[in-house]
Amino acid sequence: MATMQAVRRRTDMYNGNALKIGLFGANCSSGRSATKVPERWTASWPDCLRLAQLADDAGIDFMLPIARWKGYGGDTDFHGASLETITWATGLLASTSRITVFGTVHAPLFHPLIAAKALVTADHAGEGRLGVNLVVGWNEGEFEMFGVEQREHDARYDYAQEWLDTVLRAWREPGDFEVDGRFLKLKKVRAFPKPFGEGRPILMNAGSSPAGQAFALRNCDAFFTATAGSRTSLEGNTQRVADIKAKARAFGRDIEVYTVGQVVCRASQREADDYYRHAIVDNADWGAVERMMALRNITRETVSEEEYAAKRQYFAGNAIGGYPFVGTPDRVAQELAGLGTAGLRGIALSFVNYLDEVPFFCGEVLPRLARLGLREG
Ligand SMILES: Cc1cc2nc3c(=O)[nH]c(=O)nc-3n(C[C@H](O)[C@H](O)[C@H](O)COP(=O)(O)O)c2cc1C
């Protein structure tokens, strides 16, 4: 409990904003939009840096990258270029003053002691503003290129538990220690410095399977779910958030629940609808969309023709970027406010081109959320 309190004192993830707003996926080319429009996000370092500084000044609470090692193909090679997330976070933390920046680690690909030290380095660069997203991986093609074989699904989380316990000890143990686990056997381990100031970086996970969710509830401060976020089922969201929080309490943990979404916000509803259709549907990179579906075993061979067509639309418009918030500042603010009412603590948002669109969003939507009582003014 003392550690959780110290975690809460050190980051903007626990500031007075009832609904935290983050930016998701800006380290990857095309962000979270599998689109061919020429203005799509390139994820270049200068653009990421400008975006982080703008977000830091405008009151955005956090930035969450995606750890991705290989593109999904298609005409644009969606996510073909991505900046490594801990390095990215370190640079951004050193160049900002308030915002929380996450680094995302694939436990099976990073030795825990290298990860522990890289994360501490980022945390010192940000004077305690680093967040950590621990993932076990789901995309087989990525592991193949490392020569690493993925464990059976639930065993990935067994390994992640030992991995995380080791990282937490490296951050805490005042002297040498040994790890004698099922997977890790480490002798005379020594790790300095410790994380910045008191406590440790905030930990998040977004597992969706029962094993993944149990891992998050046992270990993490924040749980991200891609399936909450729809304005059409406020009741469903409220129930889901309450269930997750109750399950976490059974582990003695007070977990915060977040979700993800994409935003197309324009002065008029018509403009927003037109741009969403133009960028996300009419100019979808269908090759990349279909590849992402195939990774989830949805192909023309595994489902009927109608189901395939429906899923294809759903993946392009909703599943890849998350629930679309499309409309005027009033409408987007109302819909986001609905998530706060459902008990969600925050949302990580993506934009087709973050630098072009985030200033309008911050100037118009954040003040409305403040007026609706969800954020400090
Ligand atoms: C907000 C969010 C961020 C995620 N970030 C990553 C990531 O950076 N890299 C990755 O391989 N998977 C990422 N995932 C996938 C999850 O970690 C997880 O593997 C996936 O939801 C499947 O759940 P499972 O592992 O319980 O089967 C993310 C998911 C969400 C919703």
Side-chain angles (χ1 to χ4, degrees), residues 298-361:
I298 306 168
T299 64
R300 288 189 170 83
E301 284 71 48
T302 59
V303 298
S304 71
E305 208 171 300
E306 289 104 69
E307 196 180 339
Y308 191 75
K311 290 241 165 152
R312 214 166 158 261
Q313 289 296 325
Y314 175 73
F315 259 72
N318 201 312
I320 294 175
Y323 181 82
F325 295 86
V326 180
T328 59
D330 279 336
R331 170 148 171 196
V332 171
Q334 286 291 349
E335 289 188 6
L336 290 173
L339 300 181
T341 311
L344 283 151
R345 177 56 69 226
I347 183 161
L349 297 171
S350 57
F351 298 77
V352 171
N353 183 306
Y354 300 80
L355 268 179
D356 289 349
E357 300 176 60
V358 167
F360 182 71
F361 174 85

Side-chain angles (χ1 to χ4, degrees), residues 24 32 64-68 85 104-106 133-139 142-143 153 156-157 204-213 224-226 259-260 348:
F24 186 27
R32 301 261 300 155
L64 178 63
I66 299 172
R68 177 71 48 249
T85 67
T104 299
V105 204
H106 274 99
N133 179 14
L134 180 53
V135 302
V136 300
W138 58 273
N139 185 335
E142 287 191 324
F143 279 67
H153 182 278
R156 295 174 198 171
Y157 284 101
M204 66 155 279
N205 175 267
S208 57
S209 62
Q213 187 169 321
F224 276 69
T225 167
T259 191
V260 298

Side-chain angles (χ1 to χ4, degrees), residues 50-83:
R50 273 180 61 209
L51 178 67
Q53 291 175 334
L54 188 153
D56 196 41
D57 289 343
I60 295 283
D61 301 295
F62 67 98
M63 293 182 74
L64 178 63
I66 299 172
R68 177 71 48 249
W69 303 96
K70 202 176 195 178
Y72 292 101
D75 292 337
T76 62
D77 192 18
F78 180 55
H79 284 187
S82 68
L83 296 174

